C-alpha cells in the first residue's frame, strides 16, 4: 500500500501563550530548538519537508540514511531536526547545513551528525493516514513504532511526552538553558494541519543586562528605529550582540533626544555593526555610536553565534548597574543538557 499522504503537508502549528494550560485533556512535550521537519518514508524513497513545505533531504543526507535503515518501510512522522555538539544542541550548526555545495554538507554531516526527534505519527506503517485520529491514539501508535524500529541512542529518536504538568515543569530544571520551551497539545484533537487550534507553546524567556552602544534611525525618518546592544568580554571590549526595536511610536522622539545627546564614537570597541555576520543586511553599516553609559535589562529567547538570534525587548533601564558589569558570561555557556530527555 502506498502512502496516503504526500508532500507538501502543512504542519500543525502552535499559538503562543503565557502559561502552560492545566487539565486532564493536555499532553506536554519539550519544545526543541531546531528545524521543524515532516519525514515521509515510502519504500526506497525518503522525503524531508521543512515547515514552509520545502525539501530538506539534500541538507541532511545523514538523517535520510538513518530513516532508510529503519525496518518499517512506510510511515510519515512529524518532528524536529537538531544537531548535538559537545552534549548540547547547536542552532548554528543547523544553519550551516543550508549550503549549496553537497561536498560541504557531507563534511558537516560527518563532523556533527544530525538527529530527527519525532513527536507525532501522521501515517502508519501501512501508509494509512492518521490525521483524523485523536492525539492520544497517534501517540500510542508512535510509541509502538519507536519501540519496534528506533534505537535508544540512534539518529532518529522519540521525543518524550507526559500528561503530568509537574513533570513537564521539571524538564527546565533538569536540562538547563537550551530547551526552547514547553508544547501543550489537546489529547482528543486530530492533527490540525496548517492550523494553530490544537497546540500551544510557552517559550523559555531569559533576561540579560546590556549596554546601549549605538542606534539606528528609522527608515525615512529622523527618529530612532532601534537601539544597538553590547556586552563586554574579559578584555574589556564592548561587542555588538543584537538590537531592540520594540518601542511605541510615542516613545521614539524622547528616545531620539536622549541618545542623540550621547552620540560619541567609537560606541563598540569589539565586534561592531557592519562586521561579518550571517544576519547582515544592506543597512547594517548605517548606525550612530553613543557613549556606552546606558544599561537596559532585556528579554531574549536565544543567544547563538555571539548574537541574540531575534530582536529583544526592554524590561527596564538599570541606572543602578555599571556598564562594565554587563558581560558576555550572562549569555554564553548557558547550553543545557536537553539531550538527557531523549
Amino acid at each position: 500500500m502506498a502512502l496516503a499522504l504526500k508532500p507538501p503537508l502543512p504542519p500543525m502549528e502552535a499559538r503562543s501563550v503565557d502559561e502552560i494550560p492545566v487539565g486532564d485533556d493536555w499532553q506536554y512535550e519539550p519544545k526543541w530548538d531546531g528545524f521543524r521537519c515532516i519525514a515521509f518514508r515510502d519504500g526506497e524513497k525518503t522525503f524531508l519537508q521543512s515547515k514552509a513545505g520545502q525539501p530538506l533531504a539534500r541538507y541532511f543526507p545523514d538523517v535520510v540514511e538513518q530513516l532508510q535503515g529503519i525496518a518499517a518501510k512506510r510511515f510519515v512522522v512529524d518532528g524536529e531536526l537538531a544537531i548535538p555538539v559537545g552534549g548540547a544542541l547547536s542552532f548554528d550548526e543547523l544553519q550551516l547545513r543550508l549550503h549549496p555545495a553537497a561536498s560541504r554538507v557531507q563534511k558537516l554531516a560527518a563532523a556533527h551528525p544530525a538527529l530527527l526527534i519525532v513527536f507525532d505519527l501522521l501515517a502508519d506503517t501501512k501508509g494509512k493516514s492518521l490525521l483524523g485520529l485523536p492525539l492520544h491514539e497517534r501517540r500510542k501508535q508512535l510509541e509502538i513504532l519507536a519501540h519496534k524500529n528506533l534505537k535508544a541512542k540512534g539518529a532518529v529518536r522519540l521525543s518524550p511526552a507526559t500528561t503530568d504538568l509537574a513533570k513537564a515543569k521539571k524538564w527546565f530544571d533538569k536540562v538547563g538553558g537550551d530547551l526552547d520551551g514547553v508544547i501543550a497539545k489537546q489529547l482528543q484533537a486530530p492533527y490540525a494541519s496548517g492550523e494553530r487550534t490544537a497546540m500551544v507553546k510557552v517559550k523559555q524567556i531569559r533576561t540579560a543586562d546590556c549596554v546601549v552602544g549605538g542606534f539606528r534611525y528609522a527608515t525615512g525618518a529622523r527618529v530612532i528605529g532601534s537601539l544597538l546592544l553590547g556586552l563586554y568580554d574579559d578584555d574589556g571590549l564592548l561587542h555588538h550582540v543584537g538590537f531592540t526595536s520594540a518601542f511605541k511610536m510615542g516613545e521614539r522622539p524622547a528616545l531620539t533626544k536622549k541618545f542623540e545627546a550621547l552620540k560619541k564614537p567609537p560606541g563598540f570597541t569589539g565586534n561592531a555593526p557592519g562586521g561579518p555576520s550571517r544576519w547582515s543586511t544592506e543597512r547594517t553599516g548605517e548606525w550612530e555610536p553613543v557613549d556606552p553609559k546606558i544599561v537596559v535589562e532585556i528579554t531574549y529567547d536565544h543567544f547563538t553565534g555571539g548574537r541574540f538570534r531575534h530582536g529583544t525587548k526592554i524590561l527596564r533601564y538599570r541606572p543602578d548597574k555599571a556598564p562594565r558589569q554587563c558581560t558576555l558570561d550572562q549569555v554564553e555557556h548557558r547550553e543545557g543538557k536537553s539531550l538527557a530527555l531523549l
Side-chain angles (χ1 to χ4, degrees):
M1 180 178 176
L3 278 181
L5 301 177
K6 304 292 182 189
L9 175 68
M12 181 166 79
E13 297 197 45
R15 65 185 187 280
S16 295
V17 295
D18 293 329
E19 293 185 2
I20 302 172
V22 178
D24 295 336
D25 53 344
W26 293 96
Q27 171 178 293
Y28 308 107
E29 301 172 12
K31 185 180 186 303
W32 301 101
D33 182 26
F35 288 168
R36 186 73 174 274
C37 175
I38 296 180
F40 299 78
R41 168 86 193 275
D42 190 4
E44 298 305 308
K45 298 176 184 175
T46 296
F47 186 88
L48 303 184
Q49 178 206 302
S50 75
K51 185 176 181 178
Q54 300 302 308
L56 285 172
R58 63 175 294 190
Y59 307 117
F60 296 92
D62 45 342
V63 173
V64 171
E65 184 179 340
Q66 291 292 324
L67 287 166
Q68 283 294 133
I70 289 175
K73 302 299 181 190
R74 280 180 186 78
F75 54 82
V76 179
V77 289
D78 193 357
E80 196 92 1
L81 290 164
I83 297 181
V85 178
L89 301 181
S90 171
F91 194 82
D92 286 346
E93 282 294 328
L94 275 174
Q95 290 188 310
L96 289 175
R97 287 287 190 97
L98 304 182
H99 197 282
S103 57
R104 174 69 174 155
V105 171
Q106 289 286 359
K107 188 175 180 181
L108 291 167
H112 298 295
L115 299 175
L116 178 62
I117 305 168
V118 297
F119 44 69
D120 211 335
L121 185 63
L122 311 189
D124 66 16
T125 54
K126 293 177 180 166
K128 180 184 173 184
S129 171
L130 304 181
L131 298 186
L133 289 183
L135 171 64
H136 67 89
E137 288 287 345
R138 302 197 310 274
R139 179 71 193 189
K140 191 184 300 179
Q141 292 201 40
L142 176 63
E143 289 176 356
I144 293 170
L145 175 80
H147 179 71
K148 290 182 177 179
N149 294 276
L150 304 186
K151 297 173 184 175
K153 296 297 179 184
V156 183
R157 301 191 196 178
L158 177 67
S159 184
T162 183
T163 55
D164 183 347
L165 178 60
K167 184 176 180 181
K169 287 181 175 178
K170 283 180 182 174
W171 287 336
F172 286 117
D173 300 329
K174 181 179 179 182
V175 305
D178 67 348
L179 190 63
D180 202 25
V182 170
I183 292 283
K185 298 176 179 176
Q186 292 177 329
L187 282 165
Q188 301 300 328
Y191 189 85
S193 175
E195 298 179 14
R196 299 179 187 271
T197 53
M199 183 165 79
V200 299
K201 60 186 176 184
V202 181
K203 295 202 78 174
Q204 171 111 289
I205 298 298
R206 305 155 175 116
T207 65
D209 294 320
C210 297
V211 183
V212 179
F215 66 86
R216 287 197 182 97
Y217 287 110
T219 304
R222 200 70 179 176
V223 293
I224 279 182
S226 60
L227 296 178
L228 306 180
L229 305 175
L231 291 171
Y232 285 97
D233 66 12
D234 292 339
D235 296 323
L237 296 176
L238 183 62
H239 296 281
H240 175 235
V241 292
F243 70 94
T244 183
S245 58
F247 317 121
K248 295 173 183 171
M249 282 306 296
E251 299 171 339
R252 292 177 190 264
L255 274 176
T256 305
K257 186 176 180 182
K258 176 181 182 131
F259 284 100
E260 280 185 336
L262 290 170
K263 279 169 71 167
K264 180 182 177 182
F268 297 98
T269 50
N271 297 332
S277 166
R278 66 173 63 102
W279 290 279
S280 294
T281 69
E282 69 278 1
R283 293 186 63 242
T284 296
E286 301 171 13
W287 64 284
E288 304 292 334
V290 302
D291 198 1
K293 289 183 174 181
I294 306 295
V295 174
V296 291
E297 182 182 4
I298 56 96
T299 61
Y300 70 98
D301 56 1
H302 290 286
F303 186 87
T304 55
R307 291 284 301 268
F308 295 116
R309 196 187 306 162
H310 305 114
T312 68
K313 186 175 181 180
I314 294 177
L315 277 180
R316 57 180 174 149
Y317 286 82
R318 292 291 307 268
D320 57 313
K321 187 151 187 175
R324 288 289 177 135
Q325 292 178 291
C326 301
T327 54
L328 281 162
D329 59 12
Q330 295 177 89
V331 291
E332 290 185 330
H333 313 301
R334 285 210 49 192
E335 298 88 353
K337 297 286 184 271
S338 62
L339 283 169
L341 296 179
L342 297 172

